Amino acid sequence: MKHVLITGCTRGLGLAMARAFAAKGWTVSGCGTNPIRVDVLSAELGEKHRILCTDVTSEADITAFANDILAGPGAPDLLLNNAAIINRSAPLWEVPADEFSRVIDVNLKGIHHVLCAFLPAMIARGSGVVVNFSSGWGRSTAPEVAPYCCTKWGVEGLTQSLAQELPPGLAAVALNPGIIDTDMLQSCFGESSGDFPNPADWAVKAVPFLENLGPNDNGQALTAP
């Protein structure tokens, strides 16, 4: 049975993917920071799946999370680094330092924490695919979201370098999920975000695409269908 691990799995794209992978028979492991959402999703998916309250910015949290998952379902076949936040729209010089730091901590350092915790087991097994979620704003830019763009461009570079380090049998790819009607998009686009697909509809095409990724995709900068 295949095992997928999804960070930020209690809302938006992460939630849609958790539901879709579970429906396809995958074992789903995941984490989120809202304990109520974690409990609700855990109850919905059932006891064969493992959803824990975990902050990707905390090395201690991720270490405990990894110990739990590796002792249970084991190393993931597919590791989806999806957890991310965006700054409140503002010119760069008006973004508070603590807000900028928080975006960096979640969107970049969080990925590092997760990779350090799970990649050794995936490498020891000799297989697995890492998907680091990027953005259209990881390959282009827009005003008033400079901190977010900075991190997503960083995800692209981090992933390219990681791909060069991985042994045969593994892969790392950066994925632009496209434009989806999530809370994050609503904070930038307002009411016009409703013009784009919702996460559940997005997952119908995106999850089969993710299922088919393999070692031959290593180092690719991909866009979800």
Side-chain angles (χ1 to χ4, degrees), residues 159-193:
T159 306
Q160 289 289 323
S161 184
L162 173 63
Q164 295 169 2
E165 298 167 349
L166 290 176
L170 281 84
V173 303
L175 180 74
N176 168 21
I179 306 177
I180 307 99
D181 184 15
T182 62
D183 292 345
M184 191 178 297
L185 190 72
Q186 291 165 17
S187 74
C188 304
F189 283 27
E191 292 183 0
S192 63
S193 65

Side-chain angles (χ1 to χ4, degrees), residues 38-103:
V38 165
D39 288 346
V40 168
L41 180 59
S42 183
E44 175 187 335
L45 296 185
E47 60 183 27
K48 100 170 186 178
H49 308 285
R50 193 78 174 128
I51 311 299
L52 299 175
C53 195
T54 306
D55 184 351
V56 298
T57 70
S58 166
E59 186 176 5
D61 265 23
I62 289 297
T63 298
F65 174 62
N67 288 341
D68 185 290
I69 299 304
L70 294 175
D77 299 291
L78 184 58
L79 172 54
L80 306 180
N81 275 309
N82 164 73
I85 61 172
I86 197 167
N87 60 286
R88 289 170 292 179
S89 296
L92 180 58
W93 59 91
E94 293 180 5
V95 176
D98 60 346
E99 185 175 354
F100 195 115
S101 294
R102 179 66 179 167
V103 176

Side-chain angles (χ1 to χ4, degrees), residues 98-120:
D98 60 346
E99 185 175 354
F100 195 115
S101 294
R102 179 66 179 167
V103 176
I104 295 286
D105 287 347
V106 174
N107 297 9
L108 274 178
K109 293 168 69 175
I111 290 177
H112 181 242
H113 289 154
V114 173
L115 294 177
C116 288
F118 287 98
L119 263 180

